Each structure stands twice: as C-alpha cells, then as structure tokens.
Amino acid sequence: MKTIKYLFIGALLIGSSAAMAQDGTKADVDAMKALVKSKPADYDKQVKNFIKANKKNAENLVAIGRALYEADDTVSAKMFAEQALTATKRNCAPAYILLGDISAKADDGGAAAQNYEQAILVDPKNPDPYRRYATVYSKISPEGAVAKLEDLRQEVPDYPVDALIGHISYNVQRYATAIEAFAKVPLDKMTRWDFIEYGRALQLARKFDESQRVVSAGLAKEPLNATLNRFAMMNCNELKNFPDALKFAEILFNKVDKDSVTLSEIDYQNYGKALDGCEKFEEAIAKYKEAMVLPEVDDVMKADLLKSISDSYKDLKDFPEAINYYKQFLETKAEADATDHAGLAILTAGYARTLEGDEKIDMLKQADEAYASLVTRFADAEEYALWQRGRLNAQIDSDMSQALANPHFTRLAELILAHETIDDTDKTRLFDAYAYLMRYHLKQKDNKQAYEYALKLQELQPEDPDVIKAVEALAKVAK
C-alpha cells in the first residue's frame, strides 16, 4: 500500500535557530529542529545527547521525534518515541501515534494499525489514532475501518464521524458507502473536501442531479472554487443543461485564479460540449482543438476529441470536414469497434442526402464501400451492412435497371430466415428486403414472384393497409 493512503498530512513543524539545550526543557525541541536542518558531522552523537537530556520528558521526546519524522529520519524518530514510552511506562498515546506514522511511512500497515490501536487504548477520547487507524486499515478491511470510526462515535458523540467515514470510503473507491455516509452530514456542516468528494462520488454513481445539489451548496460558500466549478460544468453537460454548463465553464476558465487551477484536456473537452449544446459549434471546435495540443493528451483522449470535432462539423453541415476528422478518429482509436466504423458510412450517407445528381450518386457509392469495408473487419455486422447496402443501392439504382440492391436484400433475407428466432429488428430488415424485392419483380413483370413477396410482407405486418392493398392488387394479376 502506498504511504499516502496511510497518512493524514499534518502541518509541517517549523524550526528555529535556537541554541542547543541539554536541560530537558522545551528549548530542546527548537534546538533539535535546527539540528535536523543543519545535519552537522556529529549529528548522530547529538541526537543521542538529546535523548539523554530528555529521557524523562515524554512531551519533548515525542515533539523531537515528530520533527525527526518530518525530516525523514525515521530511525531516530523511532528511538525518541520508544524512549517516550519508557518514560511513561508505555502509557503515552502520542508516542504510539508517532510509531504508527513511522510504520505507515514504511508501508507496514499492520504495524501501523497495531500502534494506533495502542494509542486508542491509552487515550480513547482522542480522535487522531481512530482516524489514522481507519486510514491504514481501509485497504485491508474497509468494514473494519468503518467499525473503528463507529467506536469513535461512541467515545466522542459530537465528532464528525459520518464525514470521516465518507472520506475514508471515497479514498478506497467504495463510492456507495461514501455517498451513504456523506448523506448523513448536513450541507451547512460540510468542509470544502466533503463537497468535492461527495459531489464526485455522486457523479461516479451517475446521480448528476444530486451531485449538482451538493456542488451548488459548496459553490455558495466558495463561488470561485475551481474543482466545484469543474464538477458543476460536468454535471450540467450530463443533464443537458448546456447554458448553465457554459456559465460554469466560463467561470472556471476566466474567473478562477489561474494559480489555483491547472486546466486539463477534460476541462477543454467539457467546455466544448457546453458550447456544442448551446449550438456554438465553431467555438466548440476551437476548444477541442486547444485540448488536442496539450502535452498530457493521450491517444484515447485524442480520439474522443477528433470524434467531437467531427460531430461539430456535422452540426455545421460541413460534411467534408466532418468526414475528414472522423477518418482521423478511426485511425487514432486503438480498438475502434463495428459501431465506430459504421459511423463513417452513416456520416457519408448523410452527406449524400445533401447533394444532387452525380455528386449524390458518387457519395452514396462511397457510403456503400464503407459498409462493405465494415463486413471485412467485423463479420458479425454482415446483416446490418447488407440492410444498409440494400437501401443505398436502391437509391443509386433508383430505376432498378441494374438490380444493384437485389443481391444484398436476397442475402439478408437468407441469413435472417436461418435464425432460430426472429426479433423486431429482424422483422424491420426483412420488411425492407421484401418490399424492395416485391417492387423489383413487379418492375420485371414477374407478377407471381411479386405476389409471393407481398404475402411475406403481410405475414410481417398483417394490419398494414398499404400491404393489404398490394396483396389484393397482386393477387389479381398474379393469377
């Protein structure tokens, strides 16, 4: 376990340049701090002299040990803690706490927990060892950590145990437990970190309404808190409340003290989403492109940004650029799936619908090629691709003179009819296939075959008035 998971980081002890004292007074603490800073050649000898001078002064011994601990001299710090226990006949809670912290720094969670337990036995009303115990023990047993904090509640009923349980649970990614604990804390009693951790836990649980309620309460206390504005922007995007998302984005980017916030690629991405949602597509593209050049952007984020840029260009009806960036998205995404690749075909077909004449036909053919390519990559997408290719080729060959859609719809029907069960999606695709094949055979004056397809349509949609009319009409000519 990492040391940072064990410790609550306290304020650093600030040293002074007081002269070294050997009389066991409080001056020794300041002198020890100065010694730690200067590290003279006889450092080890002087450390031992401090132990001798203070061997009966437990308060000084712990304070000096804490200074050594903060200076990463844990070997010497442990000697002072042990001497403090000797001086008090092993009845010094701060010494046990210091030993626990030393063990935690060495990533020995078991020893740390044992020392904190000893501190609790010596001073059961002191919250510090409970907090530290829960922190180190949360990785071993989150339930055990929470149980220890419940012991603290019994000893000190007015201590904010629920907030502490929320914090401990959040740190070990037990978000449901964290949410349950934080929910017991009145919003007006929450600290900055309570708002942040509670709000984020609710986000991760996809409870964006509740998260926004908590974040808004935090922002009422700190309107320019960068993290809370960031969360508010994210929540509002998820809730499709884009005007408010844009408001929080502008606060985060333009009003928060720049020294207190490091803007990430995710911030730029969410700013872009808010702009997109407000139909400010060109500004959104600019934000996505700003994110693209940030040094921390990896290929996963780059792919997401390229997709967002493509979508914004599509909303601007700039299909050539939308297609250009979508192709870059496919090239960048490490494991683009069938849906991703189908997106290029869909986008290309959408572009075709905006065109006329030969340009439209050319673009429909490109979409058809994209669906053909989809099947070469993902064999299980064949039925979907056949369905789309049949529809596209029916447009390319609108007079059916080349029968371009025939092989696709015929193959599609064969594959679907081989299913053990036919679901609603299958029925929709079959209906399109049969409808085309009925019209094609009617065009070829093969009335009997057209009638057979009309009957198949009626099996799928017996109440459809157009199908009923087709069956009646073809029944006459087929005979």
Side-chain angles (χ1 to χ4, degrees):
M1 294 185 287
K2 299 297 184 184
T3 303
I4 194 169
K5 296 294 185 182
Y6 292 145
L7 302 177
F8 283 92
I9 302 174
L12 291 176
L13 298 173
I14 302 173
S16 72
S17 58
M20 178 175 174
Q22 294 293 333
D23 55 2
T25 69
K26 289 185 178 181
D28 280 359
V29 178
D30 292 332
M32 185 71 242
K33 293 176 184 177
L35 184 69
V36 167
K37 287 184 178 181
S38 63
K39 277 288 181 79
D42 62 345
Y43 173 79
D44 291 339
K45 179 180 178 181
Q46 292 196 50
V47 167
K48 291 177 182 178
N49 288 337
F50 274 108
I51 293 178
K52 290 179 182 178
N54 292 273
K55 64 182 179 180
K56 294 183 179 181
N57 189 332
E59 182 180 352
N60 269 16
L61 289 166
V62 173
I64 292 171
R66 179 64 63 181
L68 289 161
Y69 166 84
E70 297 291 354
D72 288 328
D73 185 353
T74 54
V75 173
S76 297
K78 186 175 182 180
M79 289 192 299
F80 277 86
E82 292 288 359
Q83 184 60 44
L85 290 175
T86 299
T88 59
K89 297 182 179 180
R90 311 201 75 75
N91 194 38
C92 180
Y96 282 119
I97 292 173
L98 177 55
L99 286 173
D101 290 352
I102 292 168
S103 295
K105 184 173 278 192
D107 287 341
D108 188 347
Q114 289 175 10
N115 281 296
Y116 296 141
E117 186 74 75
Q118 287 298 315
I120 290 169
L121 292 173
V122 172
D123 187 3
K125 301 292 184 183
N126 182 355
D128 283 348
Y130 292 92
R131 291 188 299 107
R132 285 167 158 82
Y133 179 99
T135 301
V136 301
Y137 209 67
S138 60
K139 276 289 188 180
I140 303 169
S141 170
E143 295 82 3
V146 170
K148 184 59 67 177
L149 294 175
E150 291 296 345
D151 291 344
L152 172 59
R153 194 196 302 274
Q154 296 299 315
E155 294 290 343
V156 189
D158 60 345
Y159 193 83
V161 169
D162 290 314
L164 188 52
I165 291 174
H167 170 74
I168 295 291
S169 301
Y170 178 87
N171 279 346
V172 294
Q173 299 178 10
R174 291 172 62 88
Y175 300 119
T177 304
I179 289 169
E180 183 181 354
F182 280 128
K184 298 174 184 177
V185 183
L187 290 177
D188 61 352
K189 300 294 184 183
M190 285 191 171
T191 66
R192 169 189 295 176
W193 283 106
D194 293 337
F195 287 121
I196 289 172
E197 292 177 350
Y198 188 17
R200 182 57 177 158
L202 287 166
Q203 278 188 344
L204 294 169
R206 303 198 65 76
K207 297 180 178 180
F208 300 108
D209 274 323
E210 294 178 46
S211 177
Q212 189 59 17
R213 176 181 63 85
V214 172
V215 169
S216 295
L219 285 171
K221 292 184 176 182
E222 291 187 70
L224 297 182
N225 182 290
T227 302
L228 292 175
N229 274 288
R230 173 180 290 123
F231 289 171
M233 171 179 62
M234 294 165 66
N235 286 334
C236 289
N237 274 337
E238 292 289 347
L239 294 168
K240 310 300 182 187
N241 182 0
F242 297 114
D244 278 355
L246 186 56
K247 177 185 72 175
F248 291 117
E250 289 172 346
I251 292 173
L252 177 64
F253 274 71
N254 302 320
K255 295 184 180 180
V256 171
D257 181 4
K258 297 303 181 188
D259 293 334
S260 70
V261 59
T262 300
L263 296 172
S264 72
E265 72 278 17
I266 297 174
D267 294 326
Y268 282 91
Q269 183 185 43
N270 274 289
Y271 199 166
K273 287 180 181 179
L275 289 163
D276 263 333
C278 293
E279 298 187 0
K280 298 184 177 183
F281 304 120
E282 291 180 345
E283 294 177 53
I285 290 169
K287 277 289 173 284
Y288 295 138
K289 289 183 176 180
E290 285 181 60
M292 290 272 290
V293 299
L294 294 176
E296 63 269 26
V297 172
D298 59 15
D299 283 346
V300 174
M301 174 57 74
K302 186 178 179 182
D304 284 348
L305 292 167
L306 288 166
K307 174 66 166 56
S308 295
I309 293 171
S310 173
D311 290 343
S312 295
Y313 274 119
K314 182 180 70 174
D315 290 329
L316 283 170
K317 309 301 181 188
D318 187 344
F319 284 97
E321 280 298 275
I323 291 170
N324 171 36
Y325 277 95
Y326 200 93
K327 288 178 178 178
Q328 292 182 53
F329 155 69
L330 291 177
E331 292 170 359
T332 304
K333 188 171 181 179
E335 296 181 2
D337 59 20
T339 300
D340 294 325
H341 282 278
L344 178 60
I346 293 169
L347 186 58
T348 307
Y351 182 25
R353 287 193 292 272
T354 70
L355 303 172
E356 299 291 341
D358 290 343
E359 286 185 327
K360 179 173 184 175
I361 297 301
D362 288 343
M363 198 53 56
L364 288 170
K365 288 179 178 179
Q366 288 186 39
D368 180 54
E369 290 171 3
Y371 281 118
S373 176
L374 175 66
V375 178
T376 63
R377 289 186 172 89
F378 306 96
D380 57 356
E382 183 179 6
E383 290 180 16
Y384 169 75
L386 286 168
W387 178 48
Q388 294 291 359
R389 294 189 73 189
R391 297 167 74 185
L392 288 170
N393 280 280
Q395 297 177 66
I396 295 169
D397 180 28
S398 58
D399 63 358
M400 302 183 180
S401 61
Q402 302 175 67
L404 295 181
N406 278 32
H408 306 302
F409 280 132
T410 301
R411 172 66 175 162
L412 174 62
E414 290 173 356
L415 291 175
I416 293 176
L417 293 174
H419 292 185
E420 290 185 8
T421 58
I422 296 178
D423 60 23
D424 289 342
T425 297
D426 294 332
K427 290 178 181 179
T428 297
R429 294 173 181 175
L430 268 179
F431 190 91
D432 285 352
Y434 290 155
Y436 172 85
L437 292 169
M438 179 190 71
R439 292 193 301 273
Y440 172 76
H441 287 290
L442 188 60
K443 177 84 171 177
Q444 300 301 312
K445 302 189 183 305
D446 186 350
N447 296 333
K448 183 177 180 181
Q449 191 68 46
Y451 177 57
E452 290 181 5
Y453 280 113
L455 291 175
K456 292 178 185 292
L457 287 172
Q458 192 171 40
E459 289 177 13
L460 293 171
Q461 295 191 18
E463 305 300 325
D464 188 307
D466 292 331
V467 171
I468 293 171
K469 289 178 183 178
V471 169
E472 291 174 350
L474 286 169
K476 294 176 183 178
V477 296
K479 294 178 181 178

